[in-house]
Structures are given as C-alpha cells and as structure tokens.
Amino acid sequence: MQLTDAQAEAELGLGGIEAFAEPKRAERWMRPVELVAAALLLLMIVMVLANVFFRYVLAQPLIWGDEVASLSFIWMAMLGAALAVDRHEHMKLTIFLPLMPPAVARAAEIAGQVLVCLLLLRLLPVAIEYAYEESYVTSPALGLPMTWRASALPVGMGLMAVLMVLSVVRTRAWGVIAATLLITAAVVALLWFARPSMLALGNWNLPLYLGLFVALLLAIGVPIAFCFALGTLAYMTFATNAPVFVMIGRIDEGMSSIILLSVPVFVLLGCILDATGMGRAIVMFLASMLQHVKAGMSYVLLGSMFLVSGISGSKVSDMATVAPALFPEMKRRGHSPAEMTALLATGAAMADTVPPSIVLIVLGSVAGVSIAGLFTSGFAIAMVLLVVLALLARWKARHEIMAGVRRASFRDVVKALIIAAPALVLPFMIRSLVGGGVATATEVSTIAVVYAFVIGIVLYGGIPKKKLLPMLVETAAMSGAILLILGAASSMAWALTQSGFARDLMSFVTALPGGWGVFMLASIAIFLVLGCVLEGLPAIVLLAPIMFPIARGLGINDIHYAMVIVTAMNIGLMAPPIGIGFYIACKIAKVPADAVMARIWPYLLALLIGLGVIAAVPWFSTALL
C-alpha cells in the first residue's frame, strides 16, 4: 500500500492503513505556515485569473503576472511539503512493515525517519548556497533577484528538517536512533574509501543505488519523495563526480514548470466538489435515468466515475462521492460488497484519463506532449474502458434482484437534471477550453475553481466558512507532497539520463525484433509494475523523458503512447496486493481487502483487454485530435 494525503489519494494517501487511522498532530507553531501557504495559493489563483482577464478582455498581457504566480507557486509548494510532513501526508509504501514483527517494524520506521533527517540536513546548506547563487540572476519582468524565489527551497527544507528531528526525538527510541546513526556513519565511511572502485563500476552503480537502495528505503516506509532523493544523493556522492549542487537545481526545475501551476488548483477544485455536493448531484441524475434497468446501478457507478473525475481530477474524491450514494441500493439488489468495491476500484482506474487529470498534466510537462491533445484523447480512451467494464458489469448482474424497482418519472428526471446541470457543465467546459486551445490548463483550472465556488454558493448550499481555511491548507499540503515527489524524481531521472542509461536502453530496445509492438508490450509491463509500486506521478517523471524519445524513434504517436502507459499505470495502481488505489477503494467502501481481492481479477482482466485494444489500435487515441 502507499500513502499520500490524509484525505485518502495521492489521494494518494492511505497506508497500512495509517493515513486513516493516525490523527493529524499539527504543531501549533506551524499555524502561521498554514496561513502563509493558504494565502500564497489564493495569490497564485488571483494572478492567473488576472492574467486571463488582461489577456482576453483587455488584450494587454500582464507581463509580470506569470512571475508573481510562479514565485507564489514555488513557495506554496515548499511550505506545503513541510505541512505534509507535519500532517503525516507524504506518500509512502507500507505493505512490508505490517509483515514484520512489531518491534522490528517500529525500529525500521524510526531508522527511516533518521535517514530522512540526515538527508534534509545534508541538502539544507546546499539549498542555501543555491539560493545565494540565484542572487546573480534577476527576473525579466519584475527585476527581482531570483533569490526571492529560490529561497523557498532552503526554507521548506529547513522546516521539514525541524519537523522530522522533532518526530524522531519524540519516539524516545534512543537505542534505535544511535544504532542508525552509527551504522550510517560506518556505511558512508566505507563507501567513501571505496569510491574509486565504485566509480570504476560505471553504470553498474545504477541498480545498486537507484534500484536496491531505493527499494530498501521503500520497504521500511520512507516516503517516496525522500526515497528518490536519498538514492540520488548516494549515487551522486559515491558513484559520480557530479556536485550535489546540481541535485538541488534539478529538484527546483522539477517542481517549477509553469504547467504544474494547475496541479494545486485542480486539487482545490476536488475539495470544492466534495464540500458543495456537486458530484452527488451528478450521481443522482444518472441514477434517475438508469436505475430501472438491469445492471443500471453499475452503469450509474461507472458513468459517475467518468463524469465526476472530469471535475475533481482526484480518484479519492471520485470514489468517496460515488460509493456512499450508490452502494446501499446496489446491495439491496443483491450485489455483494466485495463485487461493488471491485467495480468501484476499476472504475477509478478507467477514469484517470478523463480531464482534468493531474497525471496527464504532469506527463505533458515532463515529456513535452500537448496537454490539449492529452485531454482530448483521454475522453475517447476512457470511453473504451467504460464500454469494456460496462459489458462485464452487465454479465455479472444477470441475476440481479429487480423486485420493487420502478422507473423514475419524467418529472423526477428533469428535476435531477436541473439540479445537476451546473455541475455537468464543468467536465465539458474543461475539455473544450483546453482542447480547443482557448486557454491553458492552468487558466482553465482557475476558471473552473471560480465557477465551482460561485455555483456551489448559489445553487448547492455553499461551503461553511469554518471549512475554507482547512480546505486551502489541505490543498497546499497535498500539492506540496505531490510536487516534492516530482522534484525528487526529476533529480533521479537526471541521474539516469546523465549516466547514459537512456542511451543504452534506446540501443537495446531498437535492436529488439518486433519493432514498435515489442516496445509497446515492454512499456505496458514496465508501467503496470511501476503503477503498483510507485503510483503514477513518480513513475511518469522517472521514465517519460527516457521512454518517449524511444517511442518517437519507432514512429509511435506521442498521444497514443501516452494513453497506453497512463492506462497501464492506472491498472497497476488498482492491482492487489500492492496497488494503492485498491486499498483506497476498500477503505472507502469499508470492505476487507481480502474479500475484494478475490473478486477484482475479472475486472482487471477486462481493463487489460481494453488496454490491448487501445495499444493495438492507435485510432482510438488519435481520432479526436
């Protein structure tokens, strides 16, 4: 299992299942940080909206607007990453810790925390140096030294270091702490003296540091972002001559792409969807139309996941909206809780290509693929998977109990449509504006947030004032956790590229018999496995810069390849016994994972069949472009 935000996604956040069981223990002295992060998020949204207004209404671009938004974004990201540490919301793999004896698991977890402290304390002076070096560069519009922006890195790392040290000290496990420090010091000394021999090994260091070492860290519950950073730091220190300074630059670059500004805004959009009940309105409308047909509630579940995901961009938000509304009626009709949960999990996997998808946004950013094209194609790909799952659901429901089920009256359907119509507009508005090139994903995300907020107040009862600040803080923390993974994965991807691994992989793949078909099968296998272990975003950031050039060299369309690997990754995400999405669905549905595991395989097989069709027939990915 993996963990990310306590909302679970991701949402990415659930773990053994810690994120649900462990209460948030926020430090009181972090309250000002929460306020600043929330204010920066609002400032970023305001600046993006101002850019839209000046560009499209006044026809006078706000030259300095993007710089202010970018400055706010990196500070919000680093403060949000610190808040995620404070709130225990960083994504991590926790499937192995419960398998250990309790005392061993506890010691391993504390040792992992000590290693994170050492990492942050090692990177902090380098981050300060990086911020100082940026003082020699000024921003083009505002003329400010770039130190104003780059200082976010040492401030965020410093806060995370303090929080992690406090967390370790509060364990009072002095023996484990001392043993970890002594063993680490001994290993570092040994590797330092063996450094000439390690340098001579060349690329054989990659499986040692970026494979085995990272896997060990994942197994003991170190958050994924810090696993990547520790692996990269060790590789650069003992197996290369590259300075650690470069690593900070890559982390900065990985977190700072202007395209990624839409990530926290779409996360906020999902929070607004939850708070206003707009997603539930869509579910009720679909239920009024289909509840009277056999397998109708299964169709409603799949259709709701399709449409609701187009608003929230969050699998956790989608499942938490749909399951409570539909499961009672489905259970009355004879569906077993395990069967319903299996359909819910695989429906979420289907829906992740529906815009706004944070995975698609990140993929477009790191692979240089058109986000408008990804958003447009994502709808068609989700439809293919929707049809496959719907056919299986219909066969599964052949013995469904329909006694007492009546068709909703025309008046009830119209009433439900009127209530749901403002919410139904959102997914199509997002797709059409981005796909039509009218506005960027970032601009559309801010427009959608304002639209959802206003409509939520006017038509759906609004959001209680006491929930506004926690919602903004939750968004900042979740976004910080996501973006820190992207930054750490970017530094690791740079190390892979500089080592010549990408070149060697390209030579190996192009020499394989079978051409693009064999490469596509290999890509599916790779992303299925990485989807299980790492979740989507880190897998994308690590491998997309390496795999896409190979795909292009083999004549594979960028959009087609993107849809294949994203779909494969999402299937892996829902595959037991490791996939995070599987456990999130079980937790939301309150059904034991063992029971669901026995029922989910036919649905995963259906998704794999759909994936095979998508991979073999590029037309499904490119027809709407």
Side-chain angles (χ1 to χ4, degrees):
M1 279 174 278
Q2 303 163 359
L3 290 159
T4 147
D5 59 282
Q7 181 189 18
E9 41 171 174
E11 183 129 3
L12 309 159
L14 125 89
I17 293 177
E18 296 173 9
F20 286 98
E22 185 174 359
K24 298 174 185 177
R25 300 189 298 273
E27 300 281 354
R28 288 187 178 181
W29 57 270
M30 287 291 287
R31 297 299 183 190
V33 177
E34 293 181 348
L35 294 174
V36 172
L40 289 169
L41 175 61
L42 289 176
L43 175 60
M44 187 183 74
I45 293 173
V46 168
M47 292 312 305
V48 174
L49 286 173
N51 284 343
V52 172
F53 178 78
F54 274 80
R55 181 178 295 113
Y56 296 108
V57 178
L58 302 181
Q60 294 181 348
L62 195 62
I63 303 299
W64 49 269
D66 284 342
E67 286 188 9
V68 175
S70 179
L71 181 67
S72 305
F73 175 64
I74 187 63
W75 274 94
M76 184 223 66
M78 291 306 300
L79 295 181
L83 290 174
V85 171
D86 187 35
R87 297 153 63 93
H88 309 279
E89 292 181 358
H90 277 283
M91 182 170 61
K92 58 185 177 180
L93 188 73
T94 59
I95 190 170
F96 295 107
L97 287 176
L99 302 178
M100 304 176 188
V104 175
R106 180 62 175 161
E109 192 172 18
I110 294 171
Q113 292 177 3
V114 172
L115 291 175
V116 172
C117 291
L118 295 175
L119 166 74
L120 292 168
L121 292 173
R122 172 66 182 92
L123 293 182
L124 182 57
V126 185
I128 293 172
E129 180 188 357
Y130 178 80
Y132 174 76
E133 292 294 330
E134 288 289 287
S135 65
Y136 296 104
V137 183
T138 57
S139 61
L142 295 174
L144 292 174
M146 293 300 286
T147 298
W148 285 67
R149 181 191 163 283
S151 295
L153 276 79
V155 170
M157 288 181 183
L159 284 172
M160 286 188 280
V162 171
L163 290 164
M164 286 304 303
V165 169
L166 288 174
S167 178
V168 169
V169 169
R170 284 171 182 163
T171 65
R172 298 185 182 277
W174 306 116
V176 175
I177 295 170
T180 303
L181 291 174
L182 288 173
I183 292 172
T184 302
V187 171
V188 168
L190 177 64
L191 290 174
W192 185 257
F193 284 114
R195 190 167 179 270
S197 300
M198 304 299 290
L199 289 172
L201 289 176
N203 282 351
W204 287 106
N205 285 294
L206 292 175
L208 176 62
Y209 291 105
L210 303 186
L212 184 62
F213 183 45
V214 171
L216 176 63
L217 294 171
L218 285 169
I220 64 174
V222 175
I224 290 177
F226 300 117
C227 288
F228 287 173
L230 278 164
T232 306
L233 177 63
Y235 173 74
M236 293 180 68
T237 302
F238 302 116
T240 75
N241 291 312
V244 178
F245 187 88
V246 175
M247 180 178 170
I248 298 295
R250 300 308 300 182
I251 291 174
D252 183 14
E253 184 174 337
M255 297 177 67
S256 302
S257 172
I258 196 73
I259 297 174
L260 297 178
L261 264 69
S262 57
V263 170
V265 187
F266 276 130
V267 171
L268 179 59
L269 183 61
C271 293
I272 294 174
L273 173 70
D274 285 337
T276 58
M278 294 174 73
R280 183 177 174 83
I282 294 176
V283 175
M284 293 299 101
F285 166 62
L286 292 178
S288 70
M289 293 180 62
L290 298 171
Q291 64 184 13
H292 61 284
V293 303
K294 185 157 285 195
M297 299 308 290
S298 297
Y299 298 155
V300 172
L301 187 151
L302 293 172
S304 299
M305 295 299 295
F306 183 93
L307 291 174
V308 172
S309 68
I311 302 174
S312 70
S314 158
K315 285 184 287 295
V316 172
S317 176
D318 301 342
M319 291 190 284
T321 299
V322 171
L326 298 181
F327 276 19
E329 175 61 18
M330 293 180 73
K331 189 175 182 179
R332 191 194 69 77
R333 296 189 185 195
H335 293 267
S336 71
E339 198 78 34
M340 296 184 299
T341 307
L343 183 62
L344 178 72
T346 48
M350 162 209 72
D352 209 32
T353 61
V354 180
S357 166
I358 292 174
V359 170
L360 293 184
I361 293 168
V362 172
L363 177 58
S365 171
V366 300
V369 181
S370 164
I371 291 180
L374 293 173
F375 275 21
T376 300
S377 181
F379 262 100
I381 295 305
M383 285 298 298
V384 173
L385 301 175
L386 176 66
V387 169
V388 174
L389 287 174
L391 290 173
L392 176 60
R394 176 62 183 84
W395 183 79
K396 288 270 190 180
R398 62 194 184 280
H399 302 304
E400 190 176 54
I401 301 170
M402 301 297 290
V405 176
R406 66 178 184 85
R407 183 175 190 146
S409 67
F410 179 75
R411 180 178 180 180
D412 289 340
V413 173
V414 172
K415 181 179 178 182
L417 174 60
I418 292 173
I419 295 173
L424 283 168
V425 167
L426 260 177
F428 299 101
M429 178 184 77
I430 291 168
R431 193 208 71 80
S432 59
L433 289 178
V434 176
V438 177
T440 66
T442 303
E443 292 169 344
V444 169
S445 65
T446 54
I447 294 170
V449 161
V450 173
Y451 172 87
F453 187 76
V454 173
I455 292 298
I457 291 175
V458 175
L459 298 179
Y460 294 95
I463 303 172
K465 291 182 179 179
K466 64 180 181 180
K467 287 188 177 181
L468 288 175
L469 179 60
M471 189 167 64
L472 293 172
V473 173
E474 183 72 27
T475 299
M478 188 189 310
S479 302
I482 292 172
L483 292 165
L484 188 63
I485 288 176
L486 300 186
S490 294
S491 67
M492 191 170 174
W494 177 86
L496 284 170
T497 303
Q498 293 301 308
S499 69
F501 171 78
R503 181 187 64 252
D504 295 341
L505 180 63
M506 182 178 294
S507 300
F508 173 75
V509 170
T510 52
L512 288 173
W516 75 271
V518 172
F519 173 71
M520 195 70 87
L521 288 174
S523 298
I524 289 172
I526 290 169
F527 281 93
L528 278 171
V529 173
L530 289 180
C532 287
V533 178
L534 291 182
E535 207 271 327
L537 297 178
I540 285 291
V541 179
L542 273 178
L543 287 186
I546 296 172
M547 303 297 278
F548 269 83
I550 300 175
R552 291 176 191 132
L554 294 172
I556 301 174
N557 181 277
D558 278 355
I559 301 296
H560 177 214
Y561 187 65
M563 290 300 111
V564 170
I565 64 172
V566 169
T567 303
M569 195 174 57
N570 289 333
I571 296 173
L573 189 66
M574 297 298 169
I578 298 178
I580 175 180
F582 170 77
Y583 293 99
I584 292 175
C586 294
K587 189 62 183 179
I588 289 174
K590 299 179 181 178
V591 180
D594 292 344
V596 182
M597 198 177 298
R599 299 294 188 96
I600 199 172
W601 301 110
Y603 295 98
L604 290 174
L605 178 60
L607 287 177
L608 286 172
I609 292 171
L611 173 59
V613 172
I614 293 164
V617 185
W619 181 85
F620 287 112
S621 301
T622 60
L624 299 180
L625 298 180

